[in-house]
Amino acid sequence: HRWERAGGYEVQVRRGFVRLRRLTLSRSTGQPVLDFRFPPDDLQHISRSIFGCFERCLYGLQKFDSDTERRLAVLLDRDTLRWFRPAAGQFDITYRWQGELHDYRPDFVAETESRILMLETKARGDLEDPQVQAKRVAAEHWCERATAVGAAHGAKPWAYALIPHDLVKDNMAVDGLVDASVGSPGDP
């Protein structure tokens, strides 16, 4: 076993924006589209369910890997201007793990009145995992560069937040949730 720390990241800005990628979801014949505001009966197999009834999501249908993600989507649909779960390859964020480069896809991207958020939810016990931290560092660096490039064109700043699963509560506001999270603006 070998531990490795990233010495830095090379950033290349090739274009100002990327169109939303086509999202491919599969479901069984006759499988209903569930209202995302309500938990499914079978939480163990939530990743098999397809959810809809969004008001502010950029895609009409979404899948979630956990009920925490579904609950965060409820907050995003209530508190943001728009949000989505990125399709594979939507963002060019690469991190180094165990000597190899890997692509990173955040759980959510959302726009508020003041900023654009890149959000990742994790079980509290996984927050200090070295691979999770490598992804966090790469995403924070990407957000810094996107903010710098966007500032020249009057765009909103980007912020990354690694959100512990137990912080996602129905009574939370998205801005408060992000500000209380790991990797949020103002963290020491």
Side-chain angles (χ1 to χ4, degrees), residues 4 31 33 56 60 75 85 89 92 99 117 127 133 137 178 183:
E4 183 176 293
Q31 179 185 6
V33 172
R56 297 178 180 174
L75 301 180
R85 288 180 50 84
D92 290 328
L117 304 169
L127 294 176
Q133 289 300 311
V137 169
V178 168

Side-chain angles (χ1 to χ4, degrees), residues 132-154:
V132 170
Q133 289 300 311
K135 291 176 184 179
R136 179 186 62 82
V137 169
E140 286 176 343
H141 189 71
W142 190 97
C143 287
E144 288 170 11
R145 298 303 303 154
T147 296
V149 169
H153 305 285

